[in-house]
Amino acid sequence: MSEADEKALRIQLAQLRQEHRDLDVAVEALATTANCDALQLQRLKKKKLMIKDRISSLEDQLFPDIIA
């Protein structure tokens, strides 16, 4: 992997981590409101999970497990 590719992956990883944190805050805020929209909450949680999976995939590309 070239340095440019690695840098691009690290930038994407940082962006995804920020988006995941933002969604975490949004889910928490929505869950504490009196008129909690269950469908909206479910969609946010699903999106958050998809982002977490993408983060894991990128981390595996950047930091592969080396089995000795």
Side-chain angles (χ1 to χ4, degrees), residues 3 9 11 16 20 30-32 37 43 45 47-48 54 57 62:
E3 284 187 40
L9 285 177
I11 290 170
L16 286 171
H20 188 267
L30 186 61
T32 59
D37 183 4
R43 287 178 179 162
K45 285 182 177 181
K47 184 173 182 179
K48 187 177 160 190
R54 182 67 182 135
S57 175
L62 286 171

Side-chain angles (χ1 to χ4, degrees), residues 10 17 40 47 52 54-55:
R10 289 182 186 276
R17 285 180 176 158
Q40 177 75 13
K47 184 173 182 179
K52 185 176 180 181
R54 182 67 182 135
I55 288 171

Side-chain angles (χ1 to χ4, degrees), residues 11-37:
I11 290 170
Q12 186 178 6
L13 185 60
Q15 290 171 343
L16 286 171
R17 285 180 176 158
Q18 181 62 48
E19 187 175 353
H20 188 267
R21 284 190 296 269
D22 292 345
L23 281 172
D24 195 32
V25 171
V27 164
E28 184 71 27
L30 186 61
T32 59
T33 61
N35 294 335
C36 180
D37 183 4

